[in-house]
Amino acid sequence: MTGVVLAAAIGTLFALGTFLLLRRDLIRVVWGLAIISQAANVYLLAMGGIAPATAESVPILAGHGEHVPETADPLVQALVLTAIVIGFGMTAFALVLSYRVYEEHDTLDVTELGESE
């Protein structure tokens, strides 16, 4: 049941991001890209999953006897954390560029910006 809810949430995030990408307003396009990147991060975390730990996979747990707790793959978490930080930086940069475009052209409409060239 939890997997279905998580899949629906990820699908909704991807759908919302795609919807925003298709808008005419440049700010909404930037937010659409940010939402799609966060949806991809949630998808990667969900697919990383939790697996039963063994002494071979987590050597520090070798001395705990028979009861070894379940663990998550730390590589996926490290990669997603890096992607989140890079995504926030790129979103901030895109918003600053959008502000600069607004100062130059007095509009954020993508079709008007394309016609002004």
Side-chain angles (χ1 to χ4, degrees), residues 19-47:
F19 175 77
L20 288 175
L21 274 178
L22 298 174
R23 299 291 96 197
R24 292 173 60 176
D25 187 21
L26 190 59
I27 300 298
R28 289 187 178 140
V29 170
V30 170
W31 283 116
L33 282 173
I35 290 173
I36 285 180
S37 70
Q38 296 304 318
N41 292 337
V42 173
Y43 173 73
L44 287 174
L45 277 177
M47 293 300 108

mmCIF file with all atom_site columns, all heavy atoms in Angstrom, residues 19-47:
data_model
loop_
_atom_site.group_PDB
_atom_site.id
_atom_site.type_symbol
_atom_site.label_atom_id
_atom_site.label_alt_id
_atom_site.label_comp_id
_atom_site.label_asym_id
_atom_site.label_entity_id
_atom_site.label_seq_id
_atom_site.pdbx_PDB_ins_code
_atom_site.Cartn_x
_atom_site.Cartn_y
_atom_site.Cartn_z
_atom_site.occupancy
_atom_site.B_iso_or_equiv
_atom_site.pdbx_formal_charge
_atom_site.auth_seq_id
_atom_site.auth_comp_id
_atom_site.auth_asym_id
_atom_site.auth_atom_id
_atom_site.pdbx_PDB_model_num
ATOM 1   N N   . PHE A 1 19 ? 3.361  20.026 -16.357 1.00 0.00 ? 19 PHE A N   1
ATOM 2   C CA  . PHE A 1 19 ? 2.338  21.048 -16.573 1.00 0.00 ? 19 PHE A CA  1
ATOM 3   C C   . PHE A 1 19 ? 2.945  22.448 -16.490 1.00 0.00 ? 19 PHE A C   1
ATOM 4   O O   . PHE A 1 19 ? 2.665  23.316 -17.317 1.00 0.00 ? 19 PHE A O   1
ATOM 5   C CB  . PHE A 1 19 ? 1.212  20.882 -15.549 1.00 0.00 ? 19 PHE A CB  1
ATOM 6   C CG  . PHE A 1 19 ? 0.172  21.955 -15.605 1.00 0.00 ? 19 PHE A CG  1
ATOM 7   C CD1 . PHE A 1 19 ? -0.781 21.956 -16.601 1.00 0.00 ? 19 PHE A CD1 1
ATOM 8   C CD2 . PHE A 1 19 ? 0.157  22.970 -14.661 1.00 0.00 ? 19 PHE A CD2 1
ATOM 9   C CE1 . PHE A 1 19 ? -1.746 22.956 -16.663 1.00 0.00 ? 19 PHE A CE1 1
ATOM 10  C CE2 . PHE A 1 19 ? -0.799 23.968 -14.710 1.00 0.00 ? 19 PHE A CE2 1
ATOM 11  C CZ  . PHE A 1 19 ? -1.747 23.959 -15.719 1.00 0.00 ? 19 PHE A CZ  1
ATOM 12  N N   . LEU A 1 20 ? 3.799  22.671 -15.491 1.00 0.00 ? 20 LEU A N   1
ATOM 13  C CA  . LEU A 1 20 ? 4.407  23.987 -15.331 1.00 0.00 ? 20 LEU A CA  1
ATOM 14  C C   . LEU A 1 20 ? 5.418  24.283 -16.444 1.00 0.00 ? 20 LEU A C   1
ATOM 15  O O   . LEU A 1 20 ? 5.588  25.438 -16.836 1.00 0.00 ? 20 LEU A O   1
ATOM 16  C CB  . LEU A 1 20 ? 5.075  24.101 -13.963 1.00 0.00 ? 20 LEU A CB  1
ATOM 17  C CG  . LEU A 1 20 ? 4.123  24.201 -12.778 1.00 0.00 ? 20 LEU A CG  1
ATOM 18  C CD1 . LEU A 1 20 ? 4.902  24.174 -11.466 1.00 0.00 ? 20 LEU A CD1 1
ATOM 19  C CD2 . LEU A 1 20 ? 3.282  25.453 -12.864 1.00 0.00 ? 20 LEU A CD2 1
ATOM 20  N N   . LEU A 1 21 ? 6.091  23.259 -16.940 1.00 0.00 ? 21 LEU A N   1
ATOM 21  C CA  . LEU A 1 21 ? 7.032  23.470 -18.044 1.00 0.00 ? 21 LEU A CA  1
ATOM 22  C C   . LEU A 1 21 ? 6.342  23.962 -19.304 1.00 0.00 ? 21 LEU A C   1
ATOM 23  O O   . LEU A 1 21 ? 6.949  24.658 -20.113 1.00 0.00 ? 21 LEU A O   1
ATOM 24  C CB  . LEU A 1 21 ? 7.765  22.172 -18.367 1.00 0.00 ? 21 LEU A CB  1
ATOM 25  C CG  . LEU A 1 21 ? 9.009  21.856 -17.561 1.00 0.00 ? 21 LEU A CG  1
ATOM 26  C CD1 . LEU A 1 21 ? 9.575  20.519 -17.989 1.00 0.00 ? 21 LEU A CD1 1
ATOM 27  C CD2 . LEU A 1 21 ? 10.044 22.927 -17.699 1.00 0.00 ? 21 LEU A CD2 1
ATOM 28  N N   . LEU A 1 22 ? 5.087  23.607 -19.491 1.00 0.00 ? 22 LEU A N   1
ATOM 29  C CA  . LEU A 1 22 ? 4.363  23.964 -20.697 1.00 0.00 ? 22 LEU A CA  1
ATOM 30  C C   . LEU A 1 22 ? 3.650  25.313 -20.605 1.00 0.00 ? 22 LEU A C   1
ATOM 31  O O   . LEU A 1 22 ? 2.936  25.693 -21.522 1.00 0.00 ? 22 LEU A O   1
ATOM 32  C CB  . LEU A 1 22 ? 3.352  22.863 -21.033 1.00 0.00 ? 22 LEU A CB  1
ATOM 33  C CG  . LEU A 1 22 ? 3.979  21.498 -21.321 1.00 0.00 ? 22 LEU A CG  1
ATOM 34  C CD1 . LEU A 1 22 ? 2.902  20.458 -21.504 1.00 0.00 ? 22 LEU A CD1 1
ATOM 35  C CD2 . LEU A 1 22 ? 4.893  21.568 -22.516 1.00 0.00 ? 22 LEU A CD2 1
ATOM 36  N N   . ARG A 1 23 ? 3.839  26.040 -19.521 1.00 0.00 ? 23 ARG A N   1
ATOM 37  C CA  . ARG A 1 23 ? 3.224  27.360 -19.354 1.00 0.00 ? 23 ARG A CA  1
ATOM 38  C C   . ARG A 1 23 ? 4.024  28.412 -20.118 1.00 0.00 ? 23 ARG A C   1
ATOM 39  O O   . ARG A 1 23 ? 5.165  28.191 -20.501 1.00 0.00 ? 23 ARG A O   1
ATOM 40  C CB  . ARG A 1 23 ? 3.160  27.752 -17.876 1.00 0.00 ? 23 ARG A CB  1
ATOM 41  C CG  . ARG A 1 23 ? 2.352  26.822 -16.995 1.00 0.00 ? 23 ARG A CG  1
ATOM 42  C CD  . ARG A 1 23 ? 0.886  26.883 -17.279 1.00 0.00 ? 23 ARG A CD  1
ATOM 43  N NE  . ARG A 1 23 ? 0.551  25.793 -18.197 1.00 0.00 ? 23 ARG A NE  1
ATOM 44  C CZ  . ARG A 1 23 ? -0.538 25.705 -18.915 1.00 0.00 ? 23 ARG A CZ  1
ATOM 45  N NH1 . ARG A 1 23 ? -1.443 26.638 -18.880 1.00 0.00 ? 23 ARG A NH1 1
ATOM 46  N NH2 . ARG A 1 23 ? -0.759 24.682 -19.709 1.00 0.00 ? 23 ARG A NH2 1
ATOM 47  N N   . ARG A 1 24 ? 3.433  29.574 -20.296 1.00 0.00 ? 24 ARG A N   1
ATOM 48  C CA  . ARG A 1 24 ? 4.087  30.661 -21.019 1.00 0.00 ? 24 ARG A CA  1
ATOM 49  C C   . ARG A 1 24 ? 4.940  31.536 -20.109 1.00 0.00 ? 24 ARG A C   1
ATOM 50  O O   . ARG A 1 24 ? 5.818  32.250 -20.590 1.00 0.00 ? 24 ARG A O   1
ATOM 51  C CB  . ARG A 1 24 ? 3.037  31.526 -21.707 1.00 0.00 ? 24 ARG A CB  1
ATOM 52  C CG  . ARG A 1 24 ? 2.335  30.803 -22.825 1.00 0.00 ? 24 ARG A CG  1
ATOM 53  C CD  . ARG A 1 24 ? 1.207  31.600 -23.389 1.00 0.00 ? 24 ARG A CD  1
ATOM 54  N NE  . ARG A 1 24 ? 1.688  32.876 -23.935 1.00 0.00 ? 24 ARG A NE  1
ATOM 55  C CZ  . ARG A 1 24 ? 0.915  33.737 -24.560 1.00 0.00 ? 24 ARG A CZ  1
ATOM 56  N NH1 . ARG A 1 24 ? -0.362 33.473 -24.725 1.00 0.00 ? 24 ARG A NH1 1
ATOM 57  N NH2 . ARG A 1 24 ? 1.405  34.855 -25.011 1.00 0.00 ? 24 ARG A NH2 1
ATOM 58  N N   . ASP A 1 25 ? 4.703  31.510 -18.821 1.00 0.00 ? 25 ASP A N   1
ATOM 59  C CA  . ASP A 1 25 ? 5.433  32.348 -17.874 1.00 0.00 ? 25 ASP A CA  1
ATOM 60  C C   . ASP A 1 25 ? 6.784  31.703 -17.548 1.00 0.00 ? 25 ASP A C   1
ATOM 61  O O   . ASP A 1 25 ? 6.856  30.520 -17.219 1.00 0.00 ? 25 ASP A O   1
ATOM 62  C CB  . ASP A 1 25 ? 4.604  32.523 -16.605 1.00 0.00 ? 25 ASP A CB  1
ATOM 63  C CG  . ASP A 1 25 ? 5.211  33.509 -15.636 1.00 0.00 ? 25 ASP A CG  1
ATOM 64  O OD1 . ASP A 1 25 ? 6.027  34.347 -16.076 1.00 0.00 ? 25 ASP A OD1 1
ATOM 65  O OD2 . ASP A 1 25 ? 4.873  33.452 -14.439 1.00 0.00 ? 25 ASP A OD2 1
ATOM 66  N N   . LEU A 1 26 ? 7.855  32.479 -17.635 1.00 0.00 ? 26 LEU A N   1
ATOM 67  C CA  . LEU A 1 26 ? 9.202  31.954 -17.422 1.00 0.00 ? 26 LEU A CA  1
ATOM 68  C C   . LEU A 1 26 ? 9.421  31.463 -15.995 1.00 0.00 ? 26 LEU A C   1
ATOM 69  O O   . LEU A 1 26 ? 10.103 30.465 -15.781 1.00 0.00 ? 26 LEU A O   1
ATOM 70  C CB  . LEU A 1 26 ? 10.229 33.037 -17.782 1.00 0.00 ? 26 LEU A CB  1
ATOM 71  C CG  . LEU A 1 26 ? 11.687 32.608 -17.847 1.00 0.00 ? 26 LEU A CG  1
ATOM 72  C CD1 . LEU A 1 26 ? 11.870 31.505 -18.866 1.00 0.00 ? 26 LEU A CD1 1
ATOM 73  C CD2 . LEU A 1 26 ? 12.554 33.791 -18.176 1.00 0.00 ? 26 LEU A CD2 1
ATOM 74  N N   . ILE A 1 27 ? 8.833  32.132 -15.015 1.00 0.00 ? 27 ILE A N   1
ATOM 75  C CA  . ILE A 1 27 ? 8.976  31.710 -13.620 1.00 0.00 ? 27 ILE A CA  1
ATOM 76  C C   . ILE A 1 27 ? 8.343  30.334 -13.409 1.00 0.00 ? 27 ILE A C   1
ATOM 77  O O   . ILE A 1 27 ? 8.899  29.474 -12.718 1.00 0.00 ? 27 ILE A O   1
ATOM 78  C CB  . ILE A 1 27 ? 8.353  32.752 -12.668 1.00 0.00 ? 27 ILE A CB  1
ATOM 79  C CG1 . ILE A 1 27 ? 9.034  34.104 -12.820 1.00 0.00 ? 27 ILE A CG1 1
ATOM 80  C CG2 . ILE A 1 27 ? 8.414  32.287 -11.225 1.00 0.00 ? 27 ILE A CG2 1
ATOM 81  C CD1 . ILE A 1 27 ? 10.504 34.109 -12.464 1.00 0.00 ? 27 ILE A CD1 1
ATOM 82  N N   . ARG A 1 28 ? 7.190  30.106 -14.019 1.00 0.00 ? 28 ARG A N   1
ATOM 83  C CA  . ARG A 1 28 ? 6.542  28.796 -13.897 1.00 0.00 ? 28 ARG A CA  1
ATOM 84  C C   . ARG A 1 28 ? 7.369  27.706 -14.568 1.00 0.00 ? 28 ARG A C   1
ATOM 85  O O   . ARG A 1 28 ? 7.390  26.563 -14.106 1.00 0.00 ? 28 ARG A O   1
ATOM 86  C CB  . ARG A 1 28 ? 5.139  28.852 -14.479 1.00 0.00 ? 28 ARG A CB  1
ATOM 87  C CG  . ARG A 1 28 ? 4.223  29.666 -13.607 1.00 0.00 ? 28 ARG A CG  1
ATOM 88  C CD  . ARG A 1 28 ? 2.797  29.592 -14.067 1.00 0.00 ? 28 ARG A CD  1
ATOM 89  N NE  . ARG A 1 28 ? 1.964  30.352 -13.153 1.00 0.00 ? 28 ARG A NE  1
ATOM 90  C CZ  . ARG A 1 28 ? 0.973  31.119 -13.528 1.00 0.00 ? 28 ARG A CZ  1
ATOM 91  N NH1 . ARG A 1 28 ? 0.666  31.221 -14.810 1.00 0.00 ? 28 ARG A NH1 1
ATOM 92  N NH2 . ARG A 1 28 ? 0.266  31.772 -12.645 1.00 0.00 ? 28 ARG A NH2 1
ATOM 93  N N   . VAL A 1 29 ? 8.047  28.043 -15.642 1.00 0.00 ? 29 VAL A N   1
ATOM 94  C CA  . VAL A 1 29 ? 8.927  27.073 -16.303 1.00 0.00 ? 29 VAL A CA  1
ATOM 95  C C   . VAL A 1 29 ? 10.088 26.700 -15.369 1.00 0.00 ? 29 VAL A C   1
ATOM 96  O O   . VAL A 1 29 ? 10.441 25.520 -15.238 1.00 0.00 ? 29 VAL A O   1
ATOM 97  C CB  . VAL A 1 29 ? 9.446  27.635 -17.641 1.00 0.00 ? 29 VAL A CB  1
ATOM 98  C CG1 . VAL A 1 29 ? 10.531 26.757 -18.229 1.00 0.00 ? 29 VAL A CG1 1
ATOM 99  C CG2 . VAL A 1 29 ? 8.302  27.800 -18.631 1.00 0.00 ? 29 VAL A CG2 1
ATOM 100 N N   . VAL A 1 30 ? 10.655 27.681 -14.705 1.00 0.00 ? 30 VAL A N   1
ATOM 101 C CA  . VAL A 1 30 ? 11.748 27.413 -13.760 1.00 0.00 ? 30 VAL A CA  1
ATOM 102 C C   . VAL A 1 30 ? 11.252 26.535 -12.612 1.00 0.00 ? 30 VAL A C   1
ATOM 103 O O   . VAL A 1 30 ? 11.914 25.567 -12.228 1.00 0.00 ? 30 VAL A O   1
ATOM 104 C CB  . VAL A 1 30 ? 12.339 28.743 -13.234 1.00 0.00 ? 30 VAL A CB  1
ATOM 105 C CG1 . VAL A 1 30 ? 13.299 28.498 -12.081 1.00 0.00 ? 30 VAL A CG1 1
ATOM 106 C CG2 . VAL A 1 30 ? 13.033 29.489 -14.354 1.00 0.00 ? 30 VAL A CG2 1
ATOM 107 N N   . TRP A 1 31 ? 10.076 26.846 -12.072 1.00 0.00 ? 31 TRP A N   1
ATOM 108 C CA  . TRP A 1 31 ? 9.539  26.024 -10.982 1.00 0.00 ? 31 TRP A CA  1
ATOM 109 C C   . TRP A 1 31 ? 9.192  24.619 -11.474 1.00 0.00 ? 31 TRP A C   1
ATOM 110 O O   . TRP A 1 31 ? 9.333  23.648 -10.727 1.00 0.00 ? 31 TRP A O   1
ATOM 111 C CB  . TRP A 1 31 ? 8.320  26.690 -10.341 1.00 0.00 ? 31 TRP A CB  1
ATOM 112 C CG  . TRP A 1 31 ? 8.707  27.810 -9.437  1.00 0.00 ? 31 TRP A CG  1
ATOM 113 C CD1 . TRP A 1 31 ? 8.406  29.122 -9.592  1.00 0.00 ? 31 TRP A CD1 1
ATOM 114 C CD2 . TRP A 1 31 ? 9.488  27.726 -8.242  1.00 0.00 ? 31 TRP A CD2 1
ATOM 115 N NE1 . TRP A 1 31 ? 8.959  29.856 -8.575  1.00 0.00 ? 31 TRP A NE1 1
ATOM 116 C CE2 . TRP A 1 31 ? 9.624  29.028 -7.734  1.00 0.00 ? 31 TRP A CE2 1
ATOM 117 C CE3 . TRP A 1 31 ? 10.089 26.684 -7.568  1.00 0.00 ? 31 TRP A CE3 1
ATOM 118 C CZ2 . TRP A 1 31 ? 10.348 29.296 -6.575  1.00 0.00 ? 31 TRP A CZ2 1
ATOM 119 C CZ3 . TRP A 1 31 ? 10.810 26.955 -6.418  1.00 0.00 ? 31 TRP A CZ3 1
ATOM 120 C CH2 . TRP A 1 31 ? 10.925 28.251 -5.933  1.00 0.00 ? 31 TRP A CH2 1
ATOM 121 N N   . GLY A 1 32 ? 8.754  24.495 -12.715 1.00 0.00 ? 32 GLY A N   1
ATOM 122 C CA  . GLY A 1 32 ? 8.494  23.171 -13.275 1.00 0.00 ? 32 GLY A CA  1
ATOM 123 C C   . GLY A 1 32 ? 9.755  22.332 -13.337 1.00 0.00 ? 32 GLY A C   1
ATOM 124 O O   . GLY A 1 32 ? 9.744  21.139 -13.005 1.00 0.00 ? 32 GLY A O   1
ATOM 125 N N   . LEU A 1 33 ? 10.859 22.931 -13.751 1.00 0.00 ? 33 LEU A N   1
ATOM 126 C CA  . LEU A 1 33 ? 12.134 22.212 -13.764 1.00 0.00 ? 33 LEU A CA  1
ATOM 127 C C   . LEU A 1 33 ? 12.562 21.801 -12.356 1.00 0.00 ? 33 LEU A C   1
ATOM 128 O O   . LEU A 1 33 ? 13.063 20.692 -12.147 1.00 0.00 ? 33 LEU A O   1
ATOM 129 C CB  . LEU A 1 33 ? 13.214 23.084 -14.400 1.00 0.00 ? 33 LEU A CB  1
ATOM 130 C CG  . LEU A 1 33 ? 13.199 23.180 -15.913 1.00 0.00 ? 33 LEU A CG  1
ATOM 131 C CD1 . LEU A 1 33 ? 14.209 24.206 -16.387 1.00 0.00 ? 33 LEU A CD1 1
ATOM 132 C CD2 . LEU A 1 33 ? 13.475 21.829 -16.526 1.00 0.00 ? 33 LEU A CD2 1
ATOM 133 N N   . ALA A 1 34 ? 12.364 22.690 -11.399 1.00 0.00 ? 34 ALA A N   1
ATOM 134 C CA  . ALA A 1 34 ? 12.733 22.368 -10.017 1.00 0.00 ? 34 ALA A CA  1
ATOM 135 C C   . ALA A 1 34 ? 11.886 21.224 -9.472  1.00 0.00 ? 34 ALA A C   1
ATOM 136 O O   . ALA A 1 34 ? 12.404 20.323 -8.798  1.00 0.00 ? 34 ALA A O   1
ATOM 137 C CB  . ALA A 1 34 ? 12.578 23.610 -9.137  1.00 0.00 ? 34 ALA A CB  1
ATOM 138 N N   . ILE A 1 35 ? 10.599 21.232 -9.777  1.00 0.00 ? 35 ILE A N   1
ATOM 139 C CA  . ILE A 1 35 ? 9.716  20.168 -9.276  1.00 0.00 ? 35 ILE A CA  1
ATOM 140 C C   . ILE A 1 35 ? 10.060 18.832 -9.928  1.00 0.00 ? 35 ILE A C   1
ATOM 141 O O   . ILE A 1 35 ? 10.073 17.787 -9.269  1.00 0.00 ? 35 ILE A O   1
ATOM 142 C CB  . ILE A 1 35 ? 8.241  20.553 -9.492  1.00 0.00 ? 35 ILE A CB  1
ATOM 143 C CG1 . ILE A 1 35 ? 7.871  21.685 -8.545  1.00 0.00 ? 35 ILE A CG1 1
ATOM 144 C CG2 . ILE A 1 35 ? 7.318  19.361 -9.283  1.00 0.00 ? 35 ILE A CG2 1
ATOM 145 C CD1 . ILE A 1 35 ? 6.508  22.273 -8.778  1.00 0.00 ? 35 ILE A CD1 1
ATOM 146 N N   . ILE A 1 36 ? 10.374 18.849 -11.220 1.00 0.00 ? 36 ILE A N   1
ATOM 147 C CA  . ILE A 1 36 ? 10.750 17.598 -11.883 1.00 0.00 ? 36 ILE A CA  1
ATOM 148 C C   . ILE A 1 36 ? 12.056 17.051 -11.309 1.00 0.00 ? 36 ILE A C   1
ATOM 149 O O   . ILE A 1 36 ? 12.189 15.829 -11.112 1.00 0.00 ? 36 ILE A O   1
ATOM 150 C CB  . ILE A 1 36 ? 10.840 17.805 -13.408 1.00 0.00 ? 36 ILE A CB  1
ATOM 151 C CG1 . ILE A 1 36 ? 9.436  17.896 -13.984 1.00 0.00 ? 36 ILE A CG1 1
ATOM 152 C CG2 . ILE A 1 36 ? 11.611 16.680 -14.080 1.00 0.00 ? 36 ILE A CG2 1
ATOM 153 C CD1 . ILE A 1 36 ? 9.381  18.110 -15.464 1.00 0.00 ? 36 ILE A CD1 1
ATOM 154 N N   . SER A 1 37 ? 13.010 17.915 -11.012 1.00 0.00 ? 37 SER A N   1
ATOM 155 C CA  . SER A 1 37 ? 14.262 17.423 -10.438 1.00 0.00 ? 37 SER A CA  1
ATOM 156 C C   . SER A 1 37 ? 14.040 16.853 -9.038  1.00 0.00 ? 37 SER A C   1
ATOM 157 O O   . SER A 1 37 ? 14.638 15.829 -8.676  1.00 0.00 ? 37 SER A O   1
ATOM 158 C CB  . SER A 1 37 ? 15.315 18.527 -10.405 1.00 0.00 ? 37 SER A CB  1
ATOM 159 O OG  . SER A 1 37 ? 14.988 19.512 -9.457  1.00 0.00 ? 37 SER A OG  1
ATOM 160 N N   . GLN A 1 38 ? 13.156 17.465 -8.253  1.00 0.00 ? 38 GLN A N   1
ATOM 161 C CA  . GLN A 1 38 ? 12.864 16.914 -6.931  1.00 0.00 ? 38 GLN A CA  1
ATOM 162 C C   . GLN A 1 38 ? 12.088 15.597 -7.031  1.00 0.00 ? 38 GLN A C   1
ATOM 163 O O   . GLN A 1 38 ? 12.281 14.689 -6.223  1.00 0.00 ? 38 GLN A O   1
ATOM 164 C CB  . GLN A 1 38 ? 12.103 17.928 -6.084  1.00 0.00 ? 38 GLN A CB  1
ATOM 165 C CG  . GLN A 1 38 ? 12.890 19.180 -5.778  1.00 0.00 ? 38 GLN A CG  1
ATOM 166 C CD  . GLN A 1 38 ? 14.213 18.897 -5.110  1.00 0.00 ? 38 GLN A CD  1
ATOM 167 O OE1 . GLN A 1 38 ? 14.323 18.060 -4.226  1.00 0.00 ? 38 GLN A OE1 1
ATOM 168 N NE2 . GLN A 1 38 ? 15.248 19.596 -5.549  1.00 0.00 ? 38 GLN A NE2 1
ATOM 169 N N   . ALA A 1 39 ? 11.213 15.490 -8.037  1.00 0.00 ? 39 ALA A N   1
ATOM 170 C CA  . ALA A 1 39 ? 10.497 14.230 -8.244  1.00 0.00 ? 39 ALA A CA  1
ATOM 171 C C   . ALA A 1 39 ? 11.471 13.117 -8.610  1.00 0.00 ? 39 ALA A C   1
ATOM 172 O O   . ALA A 1 39 ? 11.318 11.974 -8.157  1.00 0.00 ? 39 ALA A O   1
ATOM 173 C CB  . ALA A 1 39 ? 9.439  14.403 -9.333  1.00 0.00 ? 39 ALA A CB  1
ATOM 174 N N   . ALA A 1 40 ? 12.470 13.439 -9.409  1.00 0.00 ? 40 ALA A N   1
ATOM 175 C CA  . ALA A 1 40 ? 13.490 12.437 -9.752  1.00 0.00 ? 40 ALA A CA  1
ATOM 176 C C   . ALA A 1 40 ? 14.277 12.025 -8.515  1.00 0.00 ? 40 ALA A C   1
ATOM 177 O O   . ALA A 1 40 ? 14.613 10.837 -8.351  1.00 0.00 ? 40 ALA A O   1
ATOM 178 C CB  . ALA A 1 40 ? 14.413 12.991 -10.826 1.00 0.00 ? 40 ALA A CB  1
ATOM 179 N N   . ASN A 1 41 ? 14.544 12.965 -7.618  1.00 0.00 ? 41 ASN A N   1
ATOM 180 C CA  . ASN A 1 41 ? 15.247 12.628 -6.375  1.00 0.00 ? 41 ASN A CA  1
ATOM 181 C C   . ASN A 1 41 ? 14.405 11.707 -5.496  1.00 0.00 ? 41 ASN A C   1
ATOM 182 O O   . ASN A 1 41 ? 14.922 10.743 -4.916  1.00 0.00 ? 41 ASN A O   1
ATOM 183 C CB  . ASN A 1 41 ? 15.610 13.902 -5.610  1.00 0.00 ? 41 ASN A CB  1
ATOM 184 C CG  . ASN A 1 41 ? 16.657 14.714 -6.324  1.00 0.00 ? 41 ASN A CG  1
ATOM 185 O OD1 . ASN A 1 41 ? 17.422 14.203 -7.124  1.00 0.00 ? 41 ASN A OD1 1
ATOM 186 N ND2 . ASN A 1 41 ? 16.670 16.002 -6.054  1.00 0.00 ? 41 ASN A ND2 1
ATOM 187 N N   . VAL A 1 42 ? 13.120 11.998 -5.376  1.00 0.00 ? 42 VAL A N   1
ATOM 188 C CA  . VAL A 1 42 ? 12.235 11.140 -4.576  1.00 0.00 ? 42 VAL A CA  1
ATOM 189 C C   . VAL A 1 42 ? 12.163 9.748  -5.201  1.00 0.00 ? 42 VAL A C   1
ATOM 190 O O   . VAL A 1 42 ? 12.173 8.734  -4.500  1.00 0.00 ? 42 VAL A O   1
ATOM 191 C CB  . VAL A 1 42 ? 10.834 11.769 -4.450  1.00 0.00 ? 42 VAL A CB  1
ATOM 192 C CG1 . VAL A 1 42 ? 9.862  10.818 -3.783  1.00 0.00 ? 42 VAL A CG1 1
ATOM 193 C CG2 . VAL A 1 42 ? 10.910 13.069 -3.673  1.00 0.00 ? 42 VAL A CG2 1
ATOM 194 N N   . TYR A 1 43 ? 12.111 9.682  -6.531  1.00 0.00 ? 43 TYR A N   1
ATOM 195 C CA  . TYR A 1 43 ? 12.085 8.397  -7.220  1.00 0.00 ? 43 TYR A CA  1
ATOM 196 C C   . TYR A 1 43 ? 13.358 7.603  -6.922  1.00 0.00 ? 43 TYR A C   1
ATOM 197 O O   . TYR A 1 43 ? 13.284 6.394  -6.637  1.00 0.00 ? 43 TYR A O   1
ATOM 198 C CB  . TYR A 1 43 ? 11.933 8.620  -8.727  1.00 0.00 ? 43 TYR A CB  1
ATOM 199 C CG  . TYR A 1 43 ? 12.055 7.363  -9.535  1.00 0.00 ? 43 TYR A CG  1
ATOM 200 C CD1 . TYR A 1 43 ? 11.035 6.421  -9.537  1.00 0.00 ? 43 TYR A CD1 1
ATOM 201 C CD2 . TYR A 1 43 ? 13.187 7.110  -10.289 1.00 0.00 ? 43 TYR A CD2 1
ATOM 202 C CE1 . TYR A 1 43 ? 11.152 5.260  -10.275 1.00 0.00 ? 43 TYR A CE1 1
ATOM 203 C CE2 . TYR A 1 43 ? 13.306 5.955  -11.024 1.00 0.00 ? 43 TYR A CE2 1
ATOM 204 C CZ  . TYR A 1 43 ? 12.292 5.030  -11.018 1.00 0.00 ? 43 TYR A CZ  1
ATOM 205 O OH  . TYR A 1 43 ? 12.413 3.883  -11.734 1.00 0.00 ? 43 TYR A OH  1
ATOM 206 N N   . LEU A 1 44 ? 14.509 8.247  -6.983  1.00 0.00 ? 44 LEU A N   1
ATOM 207 C CA  . LEU A 1 44 ? 15.761 7.539  -6.695  1.00 0.00 ? 44 LEU A CA  1
ATOM 208 C C   . LEU A 1 44 ? 15.809 7.036  -5.255  1.00 0.00 ? 44 LEU A C   1
ATOM 209 O O   . LEU A 1 44 ? 16.267 5.919  -4.990  1.00 0.00 ? 44 LEU A O   1
ATOM 210 C CB  . LEU A 1 44 ? 16.956 8.447  -6.972  1.00 0.00 ? 44 LEU A CB  1
ATOM 211 C CG  . LEU A 1 44 ? 17.265 8.709  -8.435  1.00 0.00 ? 44 LEU A CG  1
ATOM 212 C CD1 . LEU A 1 44 ? 18.369 9.741  -8.561  1.00 0.00 ? 44 LEU A CD1 1
ATOM 213 C CD2 . LEU A 1 44 ? 17.661 7.425  -9.128  1.00 0.00 ? 44 LEU A CD2 1
ATOM 214 N N   . LEU A 1 45 ? 15.347 7.854  -4.320  1.00 0.00 ? 45 LEU A N   1
ATOM 215 C CA  . LEU A 1 45 ? 15.313 7.403  -2.925  1.00 0.00 ? 45 LEU A CA  1
ATOM 216 C C   . LEU A 1 45 ? 14.361 6.228  -2.740  1.00 0.00 ? 45 LEU A C   1
ATOM 217 O O   . LEU A 1 45 ? 14.646 5.295  -1.992  1.00 0.00 ? 45 LEU A O   1
ATOM 218 C CB  . LEU A 1 45 ? 14.902 8.553  -2.006  1.00 0.00 ? 45 LEU A CB  1
ATOM 219 C CG  . LEU A 1 45 ? 15.995 9.509  -1.595  1.00 0.00 ? 45 LEU A CG  1
ATOM 220 C CD1 . LEU A 1 45 ? 15.424 10.624 -0.741  1.00 0.00 ? 45 LEU A CD1 1
ATOM 221 C CD2 . LEU A 1 45 ? 17.098 8.803  -0.858  1.00 0.00 ? 45 LEU A CD2 1
ATOM 222 N N   . ALA A 1 46 ? 13.225 6.281  -3.417  1.00 0.00 ? 46 ALA A N   1
ATOM 223 C CA  . ALA A 1 46 ? 12.259 5.190  -3.285  1.00 0.00 ? 46 ALA A CA  1
ATOM 224 C C   . ALA A 1 46 ? 12.804 3.889  -3.868  1.00 0.00 ? 46 ALA A C   1
ATOM 225 O O   . ALA A 1 46 ? 12.562 2.809  -3.334  1.00 0.00 ? 46 ALA A O   1
ATOM 226 C CB  . ALA A 1 46 ? 10.956 5.566  -3.979  1.00 0.00 ? 46 ALA A CB  1
ATOM 227 N N   . MET A 1 47 ? 13.548 3.998  -4.948  1.00 0.00 ? 47 MET A N   1
ATOM 228 C CA  . MET A 1 47 ? 14.095 2.802  -5.573  1.00 0.00 ? 47 MET A CA  1
ATOM 229 C C   . MET A 1 47 ? 15.321 2.278  -4.835  1.00 0.00 ? 47 MET A C   1
ATOM 230 O O   . MET A 1 47 ? 15.687 1.118  -4.996  1.00 0.00 ? 47 MET A O   1
ATOM 231 C CB  . MET A 1 47 ? 14.462 3.069  -7.039  1.00 0.00 ? 47 MET A CB  1
ATOM 232 C CG  . MET A 1 47 ? 13.269 3.339  -7.914  1.00 0.00 ? 47 MET A CG  1
ATOM 233 S SD  . MET A 1 47 ? 12.127 1.959  -7.944  1.00 0.00 ? 47 MET A SD  1
ATOM 234 C CE  . MET A 1 47 ? 10.755 2.575  -7.000  1.00 0.00 ? 47 MET A CE  1
#
